[in-house]
Amino acid sequence: MSLTQAFWAIIRRDLLLAFRRRAEMANPLLFFVMVVTLFPLAVGAQPNLLQTMAPGVIWVSALLAALLSLDGLFRSDFEDGSLEQLLLSPHSLSILVLGKIVAHWLVTGLPLLLIAPLLALFLGLPERAMPTLWLTLILATPVLSLIGAIGVALTVGLRRGGMILSLLVLPLYIPVLIFASNAVDRAASGLPVTAQINILLSMFLLSLVLTPLPTAAALKMSVN
Amino acid sequence: MSFIPAPISRFFHRTASPPHFYALANRFIPWLTVLFLLLLIPGLYGGLIMAPTDYQQGDSYRIIYIHVPAAWMSLFIYVLMAVMGGIALIWRMKLAEVMLISSAPIGAGFTFIALVTGSLWGKPMWGTWWVWDARLTSELILLFLYLGVISLHGAIEDKRNAARAVSILALVGVVNIPIIHYSVEWWNTLHQGPTVSKMDKPSIHISMLIPLLLMAVAFKVYYAIALLQAAKLELLKRESSAQWVKNLLEKTV
Amino acid sequence: MTLGSFLDMGGYAFYVWTSYGITTAVLLFNLLAPIVQRKQLLRQLALKQKRPQR
């Protein structure tokens, strides 16, 4: 089997497994909606206030939803031993790991795009900000999965890895949060967002190139 | 490692062997302590007594003599940790692992100092304990990075594995530090809060600069002493059943 | 300069001396904690060594 074939085989396998457990797929999505719902209840339902807070609220919630779903990235494979099989494969582990991350993003990151308009509606985000919100979600949620993968790989062997995972990963998410929410914010007031989108794009490309290697190294450490 | 000349390589391996390093640390610590005091005392005297009062900030600016060196150290130690992480991962050098994990609490301590003294300086200057100023915010995030390293090391039971995990994390963190720093800086210019101009360019006079530099070097020497102490403990913990530790015990007891 | 005016720090005594105090405390802790722990560890190891091997 060539490397590309192995890459696609991993994605196909993970997607198949995810579809067998459809109920679990909905959890991060539900979490995302519920966190956003909490904000009007906590700060009051003044439309002006909600509208100014909307980009930040949506992005903080997306970040937390991504964080919550991360644990599933390697956990089940670690427990049933298929992670060890992956390490034994003759192919480059970084590429195989990248396949797993892509599959994971398709299952947990992509659905956020579908639910985002509903949340924008809840918070009264102007319609002209919608395309930017989508664009930031498309560009930045993969970054969250890629960076998060390093954290999961480091903590997957631990019994209580979840708390440490958030401590490791959240500081690294800060640049994404800053640029993504600012882009949506500017789009809501009708300002150009090219600079922010370009920065997010470069973050995406950088993390695509740079993160699989440490993730693979960390997995080797966790499994042995 | 072929590109490193054999004598140098041999020197490193000898120095890096635990018993040799332990003895070497014992020999260096007294000298470093003397050096530390020789820098600290004139630094404090110059900063607290000799240096003139600032015409804008009064005497509150004297916090600078610990705040700025501590902030420098916080970044310096994190970068050094990443370097040692790289060495630990590439050459599997035990001593680099020990140095890396021994540095983390010291670096976290300096970061904490920079934050608290920044806050104590900010209160009389800005009127509040905390502002979301770019430098304070990135310092806070740096503290989170340090705490992540410390807690990850604490959570993994096998210490060889823990060292590898921490090395990877330190390297990932050091790549992110400039990105985090610039994004926070950029974010801060958008949400310009209370003015920070007072602290931006302290027109620093030579009589203020000299104590500052003395304190900065003193903090570096302090780091060396604290690092050696922590590394001695960590080495003993890891090698508690090795022969050299048994010899050491017989000598002392 | 009198001792009183030195301690007063031009009215900023609280801020300046708290800063210096906290710094001293943190630096001393990071220096002394490993020394104390090492002494304890050495004592434990010595006890273990003295105990006859089973």
Side-chain angles (χ1 to χ4, degrees), chain C residues 4-43:
Chain C
S5 74
F6 170 67
L7 288 178
D8 186 50
M9 276 289 152
Y12 293 112
F14 171 73
Y15 304 106
V16 173
W17 295 121
T18 316
S19 294
Y20 278 80
I22 290 174
T23 306
T24 314
V26 172
L27 294 188
L28 272 182
F29 175 81
N30 267 337
L31 190 64
L32 297 182
I35 299 180
V36 173
Q37 283 179 36
R38 192 182 71 238
K39 294 245 160 84
Q40 278 173 353
L41 183 69
L42 281 175
R43 221 175 299 135

Side-chain angles (χ1 to χ4, degrees), chain B residues 107-142:
Chain B
F110 276 120
T111 318
F112 178 76
I113 289 171
L115 277 171
V116 171
T117 55
S119 180
L120 278 163
W121 192 3
K123 179 65 182 164
M125 289 301 107
W126 298 329
T128 55
W129 293 106
W130 182 265
V131 291
W132 289 96
D133 159 62
R135 263 170 287 178
L136 279 179
T137 312
S138 3
E139 200 68 23
L140 182 64
I141 297 167
L142 186 61

Side-chain angles (χ1 to χ4, degrees), chain A residues 147 150 154-155 158-159 164 167-168 171-172 174-175 178-179 182 185-186 196 199 203 206 210 214-215 217-222 224, chain B residues 141 144-145 147-149 151-152 155-157 160-162 164-166 168-169 172-173 175-176 179-180 182-184 186-187 190-191:
Chain A
I147 297 177
I150 305 175
L154 285 171
T155 54
L158 304 177
R159 234 169 298 134
I164 294 176
L167 190 57
L168 300 187
L172 306 180
I174 285 167
I178 288 176
F179 286 103
N182 182 251
D185 200 28
R186 283 174 66 93
Q196 283 78 351
I199 290 172
M203 279 184 189
L206 262 180
L210 291 181
T215 310
L219 276 182
K220 277 180 203 154
M221 180 281 301
S222 281
N224 106 51
Chain B
I141 297 167
F144 294 153
L145 291 177
L147 296 180
V149 167
S151 62
L152 182 65
I156 302 178
E157 262 156 47
R160 265 340 274 274
N161 266 349
R164 285 189 65 193
V166 165
I168 297 170
L169 185 64
V172 171
V175 171
N176 272 285
I179 302 176
I180 293 174
Y182 285 112
S183 51
V184 167
W186 178 83
W187 159 84
L190 288 180
H191 306 264

